[in-house]
């Protein structure tokens, strides 16, 4: 193979050349080519201000409607569900019937009092089927 030396081969010159004093005069020439009047800037917000405000108002109202609706439902629903209250009290082992009675007012106790008329046959059936007679006798 033939030996190749880079220094001995003829070099190809580039086809591009910069004019003389190009970089020294570049900033002066560039500033002369700029227009003297600045273009008028038109803001999109100013042009469509009414439309933007209406869209913002509709978006705000659409977000607030579910929040207000849920708050009004929860505010009106302050009553405690009777079954939920009964289940809560039945599973609390540290509350007895005397503590419950002490928490009630006199008119509430009067509303609770009802007269239940049981026939003797019904009482005998309950006593016969219930194996926990001692507990019933103590209560």
């Amino acid at each position: 193979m033939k030996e190749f030396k880079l220094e001995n081969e003829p070099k190809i010159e580039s086809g591009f050349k910069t004019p003389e004093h190009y970089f020294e005069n570049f900033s002066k020439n560039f500033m002369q080519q700029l227009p003297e009047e600045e273009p008028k800037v038109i803001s999109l917000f100013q042009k469509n201000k009414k439309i933007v405000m209406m869209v913002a108002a509709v978006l705000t109202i659409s977000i607030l409607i579910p929040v207000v609706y849920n708050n009004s439902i929860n505010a009106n629903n302050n009553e405690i569900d009777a079954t939920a209250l009964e289940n809560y009290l039945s599973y609390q082992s540290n509350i007895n019937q005397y503590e419950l009675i002490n928490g009630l007012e006199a008119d509430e106790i009067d509303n609770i009092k009802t007269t239940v008329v049981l026939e003797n046959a019904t009482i005998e059936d309950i006593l016969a089927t219930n194996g926990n007679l001692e507990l019933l006798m103590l209560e």
Side-chain angles (χ1 to χ4, degrees):
M1 186 174 216
K2 188 172 153 185
E3 190 175 316
F4 178 76
K5 291 189 180 179
L6 188 61
E7 291 95 24
N8 296 338
E9 295 294 322
K11 298 184 178 167
I12 301 173
E13 292 185 20
S14 171
F16 300 105
K17 292 185 180 181
T18 57
E20 291 181 13
H21 304 291
Y22 177 77
F23 292 108
E24 289 88 16
N25 298 330
F26 179 76
S27 62
K28 291 178 190 175
N29 292 337
F30 184 74
M31 293 303 283
Q32 289 174 358
Q33 291 176 358
L34 288 177
E36 301 219 358
E37 296 178 14
E38 293 186 17
K40 185 176 179 182
V41 177
I42 300 173
S43 174
L44 291 176
F45 183 73
Q46 293 295 332
K47 187 175 182 181
N48 300 324
K49 188 174 185 178
K50 290 180 182 178
I51 295 172
V52 170
M53 294 304 280
M54 287 191 303
V55 169
V58 168
L59 183 65
T60 304
I61 290 172
S62 66
I63 290 174
L64 287 178
I65 285 175
V67 173
V68 171
Y69 180 72
N70 287 339
N71 285 343
S72 67
I73 288 175
N74 292 338
N76 294 336
N77 195 7
N78 287 338
E79 295 179 11
I80 298 174
D81 185 24
T83 56
L85 180 62
E86 185 178 340
N87 288 337
Y88 174 75
L89 293 175
S90 66
Y91 291 116
Q92 296 298 320
S93 61
N94 57 354
I95 298 175
N96 59 24
Q97 61 189 0
Y98 300 110
E99 290 176 352
L100 289 175
I101 292 172
N102 287 337
L104 296 175
E105 294 179 9
D107 59 340
E108 293 173 337
I109 294 173
D110 292 338
N111 290 340
I112 292 174
K113 290 181 182 177
T114 57
T115 56
V116 178
V117 178
L118 294 175
E119 296 180 7
N120 289 335
T122 308
I123 295 173
E124 287 176 1
D125 288 341
I126 292 173
L127 292 174
T129 57
N130 194 350
N132 206 354
L133 291 176
E134 292 178 4
L135 180 64
L136 289 176
M137 292 168 80
L138 290 176
E139 287 186 11

